[in-house]
Amino acid sequence: MGGVLGLIQIDQSTVAIKETFGKFDAILQPGCHCLPWCLGQQIAGYLSLRVQQLDVRCETKTKDNVFVNVVASVQYRALADKASDAFYRLSNTREQIQSYVFDVIRASVPKMNLDDVFEQKNEIARAVEDELEKAMSAYGYEIVQTLIVDIEPDEHVKRAMNEINAAARMRLAATEKAEAEKILQIKRAEGEAESKYLAG
């Protein structure tokens, strides 16, 4: 019945793009609206204002020639006051964001050694967020937050790093064991000297 009368309902956290004879007319807020179809008014589409998340996996090479997979998580949303820009100016938001993330990660990670990438992941995330904020605000989107959630070196590199770490720990354990043996021998010798002294 609502379709015949031209009544439409727009859900919470959503806006609708209204066109009149194919030309943008208005942004309709949540609630009930009357669209007389006989006057050429129609809904071109809906736009969610909820925060959305996009996980981007990017393979790149570090300064010390190690290939790593960097996973960035971008949280974004369309701005209600720029809904027409968000609807009309960009056909695929996710691909656009992904392109910017690739660009920033592939520009910043190759300047760092592998250990620095792990230590400076917050700086990488900040660089991605700043670049996205500048680019996507023109299209009616806000970048809520960007996180580098995972950095995965090549499997061989990961195994080598674990072996280096294990060797360092074994070396430390051997040093500690030798130190304990040394203290034990000193105490034993002191005890024997004390007993001989007391024996006369």
Side-chain angles (χ1 to χ4, degrees), residues 42-108:
Q42 65 178 6
I43 297 295
Y46 297 90
L47 188 65
S48 174
L49 301 178
R50 293 185 179 137
V51 174
Q52 299 176 56
Q53 181 167 316
L54 173 64
D55 291 330
V56 180
R57 178 179 291 275
C58 176
E59 184 179 32
T60 188
K61 189 166 89 167
T62 62
K63 189 176 182 180
D64 47 357
N65 294 323
V66 176
F67 281 93
V68 292
N69 280 314
V70 179
V71 180
S73 180
V74 179
Q75 296 172 345
Y76 65 97
R77 68 175 170 206
L79 297 170
D81 57 330
K82 293 184 175 181
S84 62
D85 288 339
F87 187 78
Y88 288 108
R89 295 190 66 199
L90 209 54
S91 63
N92 193 330
T93 309
R94 297 173 83 80
E95 280 187 18
Q96 186 75 19
I97 290 173
Q98 191 172 16
S99 297
Y100 280 110
V101 171
F102 281 163
D103 183 51
V104 174
I105 288 176
R106 288 185 176 151
S108 56

Side-chain angles (χ1 to χ4, degrees), residues 149-194:
V149 292
D150 198 10
I151 299 168
E152 298 175 5
D154 183 61
E155 194 60 42
H156 299 296
V157 174
K158 206 185 293 187
R159 197 174 307 119
M161 289 171 72
N162 287 338
E163 288 172 7
I164 290 168
N165 197 351
R169 291 185 187 278
M170 294 291 278
R171 190 169 36 252
L172 182 64
T175 304
E176 292 294 325
K177 186 176 179 184
E179 191 67 33
E181 285 289 327
K182 178 180 153 188
I183 292 170
L184 195 61
Q185 287 179 357
I186 291 171
K187 291 296 181 187
R188 193 176 299 129
E190 286 175 354
E192 286 176 14
E194 184 72 25

